[in-house]
Amino acid sequence: MTSSSLLRSFIYLYLVLFFAYLFLPLVFMMAAAFNDSRFPTMLPWQGFTLRWFQELFADQLMGRAVWNSILIGLGVVALSVPIGLAGALVLYNLQSRARTLIYGIMVSPILTPGVIIGISTLIFWRQYFGVGGGLMLAVVAQTTFIAAFAMLLILARLQRFDRTLEEAALDLGASHTWTFWRITVPFLRPALLAAALMAFLQSFENYNTTLFVIGTETTMTLNIASRVRLGLTPAVNAIAVILIALTILGAIIYELMRRAEVRRRALAAEAAA
Amino acid sequence: MGQSVELDNVTMRFGDFVAVRNVSLKIGAGEFFSFLGPSGCGKTTILRLISGFMEPTEGAVRIGSKDMRGIGPNRRPTALIFQNLALFPLMKVWENIAFGLEARGVGKAQRRRRAEELLDLIALPGYADKAVSELSGGQRQRVAIARALAVEPAVLLLDEPLSALDLKLRQHMRSELRAIQRKTGVTFIYITHDQGEALTMSDRIGVMSQGEVLQIGQPADIYDAPQNAFVATFVGESNLFPGTISRIEGKEALIETAVGPMRGRNLHALPVGTPAIALVRPERMRVLDAGEAADNMLESAPQRFDFEGAFINVLLDGAGERETILHLTNDGRTQARLQAATLLRVGFDTDATMILPQGQTAHG
Amino acid sequence: MAELFRRTGPLIAWMALLTTLLWVAFMIVLPQVMMVDFSFRPSLPPSKIGGPEDVYTLKNYATLWANTIHRGIFFKTIWSSMLVTVLALAVCYPIAYHLAQVARGQAAALLIVALIVPFWVNEILRTFAWFLILSRNGIFNSALVGLGLIDRPIQFIDGNIGVMIGMVYAYILFMVFPLYNAMESLDRHQIEAARDLGASTWRIHWRVVIPHAKPGIAVGCIMTFMLSAGTIAVPRLLGGPRSRWFTEVIYSWFFDGGDWNQGAAYAFALLILCIVFILVMMRLFRVSLQDIAK
């Protein structure tokens, strides 16, 4: 065996180990959801059951937590996407020397630990507005940094925008506002949709920030965490199965849409040639 | 119908840089006017000043004798055809064409009808529902024109719209543009660095350099009676012979050059003793037969012959400032006759010799 | 600013400016300022706020320094987060290199999808998956006992090891993708040229690949360190009383101790730590903020 083929075998072994490391914990977690055992474990296998799903669906607290998560998620989408769009527009049109500083301030929430965003939001709103922890504050705290992510997504697309399109619309008699809605926003649409999806998912899974600002309410992620810490049942694994199934389904739909788009473009390019 | 456009002492500065300097001119209603100049001469700035994307630092822009200061591009009676066309990629062909009408609140059925009329005008019937990405370069070009015409502008501004097309299509589009202009009566203001485009399409041309308009005139005037060395060398090819004016005879003058005295038209009434240049177009020079005479003559060894089909270009050694070029019409025997000669006698008439003040040429 | 108004017109420009201003002021700047202000004030009952005792003080920071347990946890958090960062870098480097430079076509695309899918799974669930493996009657212990390697299950949870394993797992993808993005732009011919000139594999990585991937390494390390030092999810799930993380100390000041001012001081200390780490990395690897926030 030559040294290079030995090296290659090592690399393949490493790849296999790495992806096993990545996926096996998730597989074990999902398998445990179907194990008829009192503990959330795959081994020893006690037989197949769906009772953990039944227990999950009967759980009123979990139902409320999921509902809260959806409400917060929608609130975050409704705030972050417009803020992200506004921030992207400001940065895009900013050429002064202050740009680096302003950019730095606007992306700083991404680089700030989530717990600190939660803490500062909690202190600020209680001190100045008398607002305590709850769903509203969760939306505000999460939006602080999710809007920054949305801004970066939208800014990236805006930077590929052909500005003469705006000028052409103005020149043809459209007002600035009309041009914005009819030309700029449709161009940004994919980025706006991506930002909305990203915002919802980030909000849904957030723990570190939400923990400080949720008050006496709870969210799905928080509820899962407290179940793990306190009375543990395989119902948590049942949630994991559902969420991962939804993730994979989403990934498949996204991939199919992407392929359809690629095909459509190829056809259009062929027709033009 | 077209409207007149007037630039009144217009100056445009960007910081210390002067893009347009003291330009005054009037373009008549329904005229096809071209601004011709090398890149960076300020012609695009003039277009943006007229369309309203910029306001002049000094001076006024008037359209139909109305001052345009403070009026944005969306409220001026102009339409601009962009260099990259700027067709809206997410809209169908007809939506592109009808965009200006949509912005004016015209109903959908009427917009569609108008778009189809314009598609007929540009000879693309049945293309209404196609995507922009499905069109060829020439088709996009025509859609851009239709989109601009849809808003019935008084003035159509064109920013080198043909530069992306291949040669054949470009020539075809020239005559098509001219035809559309005649049919609609809209004032066309066209900017280009391509003298061929400017000469073939325009009623009048303004030649620009470094922010100034050097000469305004009909294509023939620009070519046959250029105001200065820059215009002469930028528009068409030319042979330059620098020298000093030695005598004045009415509208003619004699200039002493390195290759001997030449008699020419003294277009600027330059006085004796002035440094000047004699300028002769290559097609106005001819090879003299033995014993034949002309107003002006020079003798030189041919350096190279370039066969171009209808023409044969002859390059002569070191006679003028640069090498001297002749365009000779090919009568079937020209080449054989030239190749036999070792020394050529070249003649040209007083009428073909223009005497201009020395100055900047387009060759730099 | 003038450009914004000229390009988008006054209505959109004002709306964009106003929205951005509200976000920056009321969500980003003022809360942070307020938190810092809070951290320099004593904790007082509401009746005394604004009174003579409501003065700026360093007391809260002195507490952090004087309390040896909390100080120990603070330094342990730094040290452990660095270790997590180095481990994640070591684990991810070969994978990122393989994906960017060796794997091709369909295989590469598939591997990337395989990396992204776990990325979309909830951080809590990813942590929970390791909880199941490491817990007393988890798979790891079952396997070890089953193989006869140990007699009684080992308590992995409630130790720093469990927390760190969970963190490497949870944040590995924040390391892989920056590395991958940086390495992908390296021209394969450079590596071939280096090999052709007789460079060994180590030398190629040290002289060609690593210098090129520097921005990616910096970004990956910054993200991983920041997430590790700033997380409360992983230690709350995988840790116990003996493996407290600094964020857990902050949490207890807020919700068990009820001293928000003290908690704010601790939070600000953590923020300063993260800022210092980011600045050091940016300096060390010569990357700008624009490279990081992508």
Side-chain angles (χ1 to χ4, degrees):
Chain A
M1 203 183 243
T2 67
S3 73
S4 82
S5 72
L6 185 71
L7 190 68
R8 194 163 304 149
S9 319
F10 265 126
I11 289 170
Y12 283 119
L13 182 67
Y14 187 79
L15 274 177
V16 170
L17 285 175
F18 179 82
F19 281 100
Y21 170 66
L22 216 53
F23 280 100
L24 281 183
L26 300 177
V27 171
F28 291 151
M29 174 169 65
M30 288 168 78
F34 301 99
N35 190 7
D36 197 0
S37 159
R38 215 156 48 78
F39 299 107
T41 178
M42 196 183 86
L43 295 171
W45 186 255
Q46 309 270 24
F48 181 86
T49 180
L50 288 176
R51 75 180 162 111
W52 304 120
F53 287 87
Q54 288 161 352
E55 186 181 289
L56 176 69
F57 290 130
D59 188 332
Q60 303 247 321
L61 186 62
M62 183 50 100
R64 186 180 168 78
V66 170
W67 178 238
N68 280 345
S69 284
I70 291 173
L71 283 182
I72 294 172
L74 292 177
V76 169
V77 170
L79 282 183
S80 322
V81 176
I83 291 175
L85 176 60
L89 282 175
V90 170
L91 274 186
Y92 182 51
N93 287 296
L94 203 61
Q95 280 149 357
S96 74
R97 254 175 298 155
R99 190 182 191 278
T100 314
L101 178 69
I102 294 170
Y103 181 88
I105 293 173
M106 285 162 92
V107 301
S108 68
I110 292 177
L111 297 169
T112 307
V115 295
I116 289 173
I117 290 173
I119 289 167
S120 56
T121 306
L122 180 67
I123 293 175
F124 179 72
W125 287 82
R126 196 196 65 171
Q127 285 308 106
Y128 277 113
F129 303 99
V131 178
L135 297 189
M136 214 280 287
L137 214 53
V139 171
V140 170
Q142 290 182 5
T143 299
T144 304
F145 69 96
I146 292 176
F149 281 117
M151 181 190 78
L152 291 179
L153 275 176
I154 296 167
L155 187 62
R157 178 138 182 107
L158 203 51
Q159 267 152 357
R160 284 186 316 197
F161 183 52
D162 176 7
R163 290 221 106 160
T164 58
L165 295 182
E166 264 175 16
E167 294 189 342
L170 286 178
D171 187 65
L172 291 167
S175 68
H176 279 102
T177 311
W178 172 251
T179 303
F180 183 72
W181 289 115
R182 192 76 174 87
I183 305 294
T184 317
V185 169
F187 172 81
L188 292 177
R189 223 177 66 124
L192 294 173
L193 286 177
L197 185 68
M198 178 278 306
F200 189 81
L201 289 175
Q202 286 250 2
S203 163
F204 210 72
E205 81 146 42
N206 184 269
Y207 181 84
N208 292 322
T209 301
T210 313
L211 183 66
F212 285 84
V213 289
I214 198 66
T216 54
E217 283 292 343
T218 188
T219 67
M220 193 199 69
T221 301
L222 257 56
N223 191 254
I224 294 174
S226 66
R227 273 161 183 269
V228 174
R229 281 163 57 81
L230 306 168
L232 193 64
T233 79
V236 174
N237 301 62
I239 304 173
V241 170
I242 294 170
L243 286 183
I244 291 173
L246 285 177
T247 306
I248 292 171
L249 191 71
I252 290 172
I253 291 173
Y254 175 81
E255 179 63 17
L256 288 179
M257 277 166 59
R258 197 185 61 83
R259 285 193 188 173
E261 173 70 15
V262 168
R263 229 185 346 258
R264 209 177 56 75
R265 283 214 186 135
L267 281 178
E270 215 170 283
Chain B
M1 263 337 248
Q3 287 183 10
S4 64
V5 174
E6 194 182 348
L7 302 182
D8 188 356
N9 231 347
V10 167
T11 295
M12 185 72 201
R13 288 197 194 87
F14 299 103
D16 290 339
F17 177 70
V18 184
V20 173
R21 192 191 303 271
N22 296 331
V23 170
S24 289
L25 57 89
K26 186 162 180 180
I27 299 166
E31 190 177 1
F32 195 128
F33 190 94
S34 295
F35 285 101
L36 174 66
S39 61
C41 71
K43 55 192 195 299
T44 300
T45 306
I46 285 196
L47 211 65
R48 295 179 72 81
L49 287 169
I50 298 172
S51 58
F53 288 110
M54 292 174 184
E55 292 278 5
T57 321
E58 289 161 32
V61 175
R62 284 187 277 271
I63 299 178
S65 58
K66 186 169 180 280
D67 194 334
M68 286 290 130
R69 182 161 286 275
I71 297 178
N74 46 357
R75 290 186 294 130
R76 292 192 184 190
T78 57
L80 174 57
I81 296 186
F82 290 79
Q83 189 163 13
N84 70 352
L85 304 182
L87 293 178
F88 305 127
L90 300 175
M91 296 182 202
K92 290 174 185 165
V93 166
W94 83 268
E95 290 174 305
N96 258 287
I97 294 176
F99 181 87
L101 303 175
E102 191 184 339
R104 285 165 176 72
V106 175
K108 185 169 175 183
Q110 204 184 333
R111 293 205 306 265
R112 173 85 195 200
R113 204 163 51 240
R114 182 79 182 121
E116 286 184 349
E117 280 170 24
L118 283 158
L119 280 168
D120 286 339
L121 177 78
I122 58 168
L124 285 176
Y127 275 70
D129 288 310
K130 290 221 187 285
V132 170
S133 57
E134 293 175 81
L135 302 181
S136 70
Q139 290 169 340
R140 285 175 201 212
Q141 188 74 58
R142 282 184 271 177
V143 170
I145 293 166
R147 185 178 72 176
L149 289 175
V151 298
E152 294 176 3
V155 180
L156 191 69
L157 305 161
L158 302 98
D159 184 0
E160 309 212 27
L162 304 185
S163 54
L165 303 182
D166 63 50
L167 184 67
K168 260 257 163 63
L169 197 53
R170 203 152 64 212
Q171 281 170 344
H172 173 73
M173 285 305 296
R174 283 180 193 173
S175 54
E176 202 157 321
L177 275 177
R178 186 73 229 213
I180 290 173
Q181 196 262 338
R182 291 237 167 84
K183 217 177 320 180
T184 56
V186 172
T187 309
F188 271 43
I189 300 179
Y190 192 97
I191 74 164
T192 181
H193 64 272
D194 182 332
Q195 42 156 316
E197 281 177 12
L199 292 172
T200 47
M201 290 191 287
S202 318
D203 293 321
R204 282 194 304 157
I205 297 171
V207 182
M208 289 191 71
S209 171
Q210 296 180 338
E212 291 180 78
V213 176
L214 301 178
Q215 183 173 2
I216 298 170
Q218 293 175 359
D221 289 341
I222 299 279
Y223 190 79
D224 290 326
Q227 298 255 320
N228 57 37
F230 182 88
V231 175
T233 49
F234 189 73
V235 182
E237 286 186 83
S238 45
N239 295 306
L240 303 179
F241 304 95
T244 310
I245 294 176
S246 58
R247 207 163 74 222
I248 309 285
E249 292 176 1
K251 287 190 179 294
E252 294 174 2
L254 213 64
I255 176 170
E256 295 299 328
T257 75
V259 289
M262 292 180 187
R263 181 183 293 271
R265 292 186 287 143
N266 190 3
L267 295 169
H268 294 270
L270 300 174
V272 171
T274 320
I277 45 174
L279 181 145
V280 191
R281 298 289 185 194
E283 70 278 6
R284 303 291 293 269
M285 291 182 157
R286 61 185 193 273
V287 175
L288 299 176
D289 291 326
E292 191 186 351
D295 295 349
N296 297 313
M297 286 181 284
L298 59 89
E299 233 177 30
S300 179
Q303 195 184 47
R304 201 169 83 225
F305 304 105
D306 289 341
F307 184 71
E308 257 191 38
F311 286 102
I312 295 170
N313 298 336
V314 183
L315 278 83
L316 300 178
D317 240 351
E321 192 175 53
R322 293 145 47 96
E323 57 201 2
T324 301
I325 304 172
L326 282 70
H327 291 324
L328 303 177
T329 315
N330 183 9
D331 64 3
R333 294 176 314 243
T334 316
Q335 193 165 18
R337 208 174 67 211
L338 288 172
Q339 275 162 351
T342 49
L343 204 63
L344 289 180
R345 280 176 65 239
V346 175
F348 42 96
D349 295 333
T350 307
D351 179 49
T353 309
M354 296 174 265
I355 294 176
L356 302 171
Q358 283 187 359
Q360 177 99 40
T361 67
H363 309 304
Chain C
M1 280 311 131
E3 177 78 358
L4 179 67
F5 280 85
R6 202 175 62 72
R7 287 282 187 173
T8 62
L11 181 69
I12 305 278
W14 274 119
M15 277 170 58
L17 269 181
L18 203 67
T19 309
T20 308
L21 199 71
L22 284 176
W23 171 48
V24 169
F26 284 87
M27 292 190 182
I28 302 176
V29 177
L30 289 177
Q32 296 296 337
V33 171
M34 190 70 206
M35 184 185 85
V36 175
D37 178 80
F38 225 65
S39 74
F40 287 104
R41 289 174 185 277
S43 175
L44 297 169
S47 59
K48 291 192 177 172
I49 287 176
E53 288 168 54
D54 195 0
V55 289
Y56 286 113
T57 169
L58 287 171
K59 181 179 107 358
N60 297 321
Y61 293 91
T63 307
L64 171 57
W65 190 249
N67 187 326
T68 48
I69 296 174
H70 290 174
R71 197 175 67 198
I73 292 175
F74 184 67
F75 286 117
K76 184 202 80 178
T77 302
I78 299 176
W79 166 242
S80 306
S81 300
M82 282 180 165
L83 204 58
V84 167
T85 306
V86 171
L87 279 176
L89 179 61
V91 170
C92 294
Y93 185 91
I95 297 296
Y97 179 74
H98 184 83
L99 278 178
Q101 291 290 328
V102 184
R104 280 163 205 238
Q106 284 280 298
L110 197 71
L111 287 178
I112 288 171
V113 171
L115 274 178
I116 292 174
V117 169
F119 198 58
W120 286 110
V121 175
N122 203 315
E123 179 185 344
I124 289 288
L125 288 179
R126 273 184 279 158
T127 311
F128 175 59
W130 273 95
F131 177 89
L132 296 181
I133 291 173
L134 297 175
S135 65
R136 262 189 95 78
N137 38 20
I139 289 169
F140 207 49
N141 274 321
S142 306
L144 290 179
V145 172
L147 290 170
L149 291 173
I150 52 171
D151 302 330
R152 288 184 304 127
I154 300 172
Q155 185 65 279
F156 291 107
I157 306 291
D158 191 25
N160 288 320
I161 303 288
V163 174
M164 283 170 60
I165 290 178
M167 282 190 186
V168 172
Y169 185 74
Y171 304 130
I172 212 163
L173 295 155
F174 290 95
M175 183 64 92
V176 162
F177 281 108
L179 285 181
Y180 168 77
N181 286 336
M183 286 180 183
E184 203 204 3
S185 61
L186 176 63
D187 186 358
R188 281 181 203 219
H189 293 131
Q190 281 191 33
I191 296 167
E192 281 162 19
R195 183 160 297 140
D196 193 49
L197 293 168
S200 68
T201 303
W202 295 118
R203 205 172 172 77
I204 289 170
H205 279 273
W206 185 245
R207 301 282 295 162
V208 181
V209 184
I210 292 179
H212 185 86
K214 247 167 55 175
I217 295 173
V219 173
C221 289
I222 287 173
M223 293 307 289
T224 309
F225 179 85
M226 198 208 81
L227 288 166
S228 305
T231 183
I232 191 165
V234 181
R236 262 167 87 87
L237 260 61
L238 293 181
R242 287 190 292 117
S243 61
R244 283 172 81 200
W245 212 245
F246 194 63
T247 47
E248 292 180 285
V249 179
I250 299 174
Y251 181 84
S252 43
W253 276 123
F254 272 86
F255 298 105
D256 304 331
D259 188 342
W260 286 21
N261 300 77
Q262 188 66 61
Y266 278 37
F268 188 52
L270 177 64
L271 182 61
I272 293 289
L273 167 70
C274 289
I275 291 172
V276 167
F277 185 84
I278 290 171
L279 291 179
V280 167
M281 291 302 277
M282 278 168 68
R283 194 63 188 267
L284 221 55
F285 287 86
R286 295 205 183 81
V287 293
S288 72
L289 206 57
Q290 252 93 343
D291 300 319
I292 300 169
K294 264 198 289 215

